Structures are given as structure tokens and as C-alpha cells.
Amino acid sequence: VQLQASGGGSVQTGGSLRLSCVASGGTFGAYAVGWFRQAPGKEREFVAVISRSTVTTYYADSVKGRFTISRDNAKKTVYLQMNSLEPEDTAVYYCAADSKAWLNVVHTRSSDYDSWGQGTLVTVSS
């Protein structure tokens, strides 16, 4: 499956953005989909994930309560709604597909993910 992330941009502290990850090829419903981010000079880190079934979602502690992940299998799209953005959220955001996760299972390690999108830049200014 190929993934295309979009929706990044520049906002001020407290603002909101919605990222989209559109899939092509493959069977979208066969993948759990996660979002990761990489800030300048830092390692890539897990942000959020949603299971194949949509039943299970999981968030990094740093974004819990502010970010919401959702998916529309008919549109082959996963969304990441980001509210109350902080400068610490500044990073390139990547979506990734995990073919190994069973129906309601999710993984948070980047090594569990098979396919990656190209990334979209989010900049939050104070």
C-alpha cells in the first residue's frame, strides 16, 4: 500500500490542524495505521494509531486529550485531528501502515510498520 500524508502547515499555539493520510493500492482495511513524528534533531516518535477495525486507538501521553485519530475505510483515509497545538508539536508527521496487527491490535514501534508516507510538516509558533 502507498500512503500520502497531507494537511500540515503553520499555526500559532492553541491552534488546530487536521492531517490526512490517503492510501492507494493494497487492501486498506487490512492495515492498522499510525502516525509518527520527527522533530529537528530528534528521533522519530510514535504519536497515535488506529486498528484495522477502528475499535482500538492509542495515543502517546504527550498528545492524549489533544489529538484524535480516526479512519474512513471507504475513503481509504486516516485522519489526525490536532487541537491545542504547542510548539513542542512542531515536527514532520508521517503516517504508516502495519500489516501485522490483527483486527483490534495496535503497535507503537516504528519497526512494526511496513509502509510509510512521505511526511507533512507541522510548525507551531508561540
Side-chain angles (χ1 to χ4, degrees):
V1 64
Q2 291 77 47
L3 303 174
Q4 179 82 26
S6 63
S10 297
V11 296
Q12 292 188 325
T13 298
S16 298
L17 285 172
R18 188 176 79 158
L19 306 184
S20 298
C21 176
V22 179
S24 60
T27 303
F28 185 64
Y31 298 88
V33 178
W35 286 95
F36 292 77
R37 67 186 182 186
Q38 187 165 18
K42 295 187 177 181
E43 294 188 352
R44 189 173 298 185
E45 64 175 0
F46 166 78
V47 175
V49 60
I50 187 165
S51 64
R52 293 168 54 188
S53 66
T54 76
V55 168
T56 304
T57 58
Y58 189 76
Y59 300 89
D61 287 344
S62 58
V63 307
K64 200 172 296 182
R66 300 187 297 121
F67 290 12
T68 303
I69 190 169
S70 61
R71 70 188 290 165
D72 184 335
N73 284 345
K75 295 183 178 180
K76 296 186 175 182
T77 303
V78 169
Y79 304 98
L80 185 68
Q81 178 66 44
M82 306 187 297
N83 298 328
S84 302
L85 284 162
E86 304 166 352
E88 293 73 24
D89 296 316
T90 295
V92 177
Y93 284 71
Y94 300 88
C95 58
D98 174 7
S99 67
K100 297 182 288 295
W102 192 236
L103 195 60
N104 297 323
V105 173
V106 295
H107 297 132
T108 62
R109 297 179 306 180
S110 58
S111 58
D112 287 318
Y113 288 77
D114 312 289
S115 303
W116 292 79
Q118 85 290 358
T120 185
L121 176 63
V122 172
T123 303
V124 184
S125 58
S126 57

